[in-house]
Amino acid sequence: MRTNYEDFAAELNRSFPRTPERFQQIVSQEVYAQMNPVKNRSRKRKRKPYKALLPIAACLVLAGSTVAAARLPVFQNWLSGLGINAKTVEESMIHSDEASGAIIMESIVDIDSSDSSVQSEPLFRVTDVYYDGATLIFWADPQSDFFELGDHVYINGIDSRLEYVVETEEGSGIYECKVSVLNQELQQAETDSIHVKVGVYTAPDSKEDYSFTVESDKLGTAVRNTGNVSGLDFGQIVSYDVTVTPSVINLHLNWEVSDDRMMEILPWGEYILEDASGKRLTRDEWLRSSGCSIPEYDEAGGINTFSQDLEIVGFDASSPTMTIIPVRVQWDADGSKIVDSEKVLEDYAITIDLTK
């Protein structure tokens, strides 16, 4: 059965056709570069002769000849953004130079050679992997100066979305590749092995499919729950859908709001989040992204309806509940937030169950 979110996504796809994946990749990288100025996003694009490559069944298990991402400063920066979950994520990392699991790369055969037994180096080597059901991050060491990936990444045969590919730090030669897992069945599938297929550009206009496999008991799974919240003075959450992992919490809310004053607050996601222990995060601390559908008003019932999506980081993924506390903010004539104008609406707090 399709969810409202899937219907909304399908409508967006019909109204706004997908841009070419190479263009999307460039835009994504530039946006990420602007959001993360400490990283060097420059790509070496020196042209050199290349040979067509054909995957074969043989595999190569990586040894400890590469730099582990956990020892790169940029990885520590990513961890610090995960707040209380950082230790859990770090302990779940799979390194090619440790006995925490196997990162198995496809070997490739040079089809220009008359000897079919002649194998070339893989197009890239994966040095480290993190996977928790919602997020796949892998760090790659390319074997050429040109390294681009297509925006479709298949995890166990299921299409997922490549968010970005970025060099971790200038001159490191190691690229951080982040993939968001969108399929709910894949998110919740318990597994000790994932097979990843990516499209690799071997030249600006030539792309080859390439695969690697990760085997480890550190591979995680997402916790998903659905529910509703009724009995609120200003309306209700008709339904919610939440996916919880240490790397990110995705929360989808379907609202019905009868109080017009709250419609000036809720759609903007001005919330404080509180975990079961009482620890609170301000919007600037938890927000990775947010989105809201165009509100619709039912005159007969006096109800405003809209859907909201929140992408949350740093919130304790082990907490059984999440309390959402709206915050009223005042703005000046230029649309800027007035300093110290926030009013926390404690009486309007809403609690979401994060457990299965």
Side-chain angles (χ1 to χ4, degrees), residues 111 262 333:
I111 63 174
M262 293 301 290

Side-chain angles (χ1 to χ4, degrees), residues 1 3 5-6 133 158 181-189 221-222 224 226 241-243:
M1 182 174 68
T3 64
Y5 176 75
E6 290 171 329
I158 297 175
V181 180
L182 306 179
N183 182 275
Q184 292 180 353
E185 290 185 6
L186 180 58
Q187 289 175 348
Q188 299 172 77
T221 183
R224 180 171 176 257
T226 59
D241 191 319
V242 61
T243 302

Side-chain angles (χ1 to χ4, degrees), residues 248-286:
V248 66
I249 296 176
N250 288 300
L251 177 60
H252 178 75
L253 304 168
N254 291 314
W255 287 96
E256 285 186 355
V257 180
S258 55
D259 188 337
D260 289 340
R261 294 172 301 175
M262 293 301 290
M263 286 301 297
E264 299 175 3
I265 302 172
L266 299 175
W268 305 104
E270 290 287 346
Y271 303 132
I272 285 175
L273 302 184
E274 181 178 286
D275 65 23
S277 71
K279 181 180 178 181
R280 293 187 171 189
L281 297 178
T282 65
R283 186 176 189 269
D284 289 342
E285 292 172 321
W286 64 258

Side-chain angles (χ1 to χ4, degrees), residues 51-244:
K51 297 179 181 180
L53 302 172
L54 177 67
I56 61 174
C59 294
L60 171 68
V61 179
L62 293 186
S65 60
T66 52
V67 179
R71 292 188 285 276
L72 294 172
V74 66
F75 179 71
Q76 297 300 331
N77 292 338
W78 178 68
L79 277 178
S80 66
L82 301 180
I84 195 171
N85 304 307
K87 183 178 180 181
T88 300
V89 170
E90 186 169 23
E91 291 174 348
S92 300
M93 282 289 299
I94 302 159
H95 307 296
S96 64
D97 58 353
E98 296 178 358
S100 56
I103 302 174
I104 306 168
M105 308 299 300
E106 272 190 349
S107 297
I108 49 181
V109 62
D110 184 353
I111 63 174
D112 287 347
S113 173
S114 57
D115 184 354
S116 61
S117 66
V118 175
Q119 298 179 19
S120 301
E121 289 292 317
L123 301 180
F124 61 93
R125 297 175 182 269
V126 175
T127 66
D128 307 85
V129 173
Y130 172 78
Y131 179 79
D132 63 12
T135 301
L136 165 67
I137 295 188
F138 61 93
W139 286 261
D141 179 11
Q143 301 304 294
S144 67
D145 291 333
F146 189 91
F147 186 63
E148 295 280 359
L149 302 182
D151 65 355
H152 289 273
V153 177
Y154 293 85
I155 302 174
N156 291 350
I158 297 175
D159 194 359
S160 301
R161 183 178 67 211
L162 180 71
E163 298 289 350
Y164 61 76
V165 177
V166 60
E167 189 173 23
T168 53
E169 60 180 338
E170 184 176 4
S172 71
I174 304 294
Y175 288 82
E176 180 179 308
C177 311
K178 181 187 175 188
V179 181
S180 290
V181 180
L182 306 179
N183 182 275
Q184 292 180 353
E185 290 185 6
L186 180 58
Q187 289 175 348
Q188 299 172 77
E190 296 186 6
T191 181
D192 57 6
S193 176
I194 58 172
H195 181 263
V196 182
K197 183 176 76 172
V198 298
V200 182
Y201 286 90
T202 54
D205 298 316
S206 178
K207 185 174 72 171
E208 301 286 343
D209 286 338
Y210 194 69
S211 301
F212 63 92
T213 298
V214 183
E215 297 177 351
S216 174
D217 58 6
K218 291 186 176 184
L219 298 174
T221 183
V223 173
R224 180 171 176 257
N225 192 28
T226 59
N228 62 79
V229 182
S230 58
L232 305 173
D233 291 339
F234 58 90
Q236 64 176 327
I237 297 176
V238 179
S239 64
Y240 67 79
D241 191 319
V242 61
T243 302
V244 182

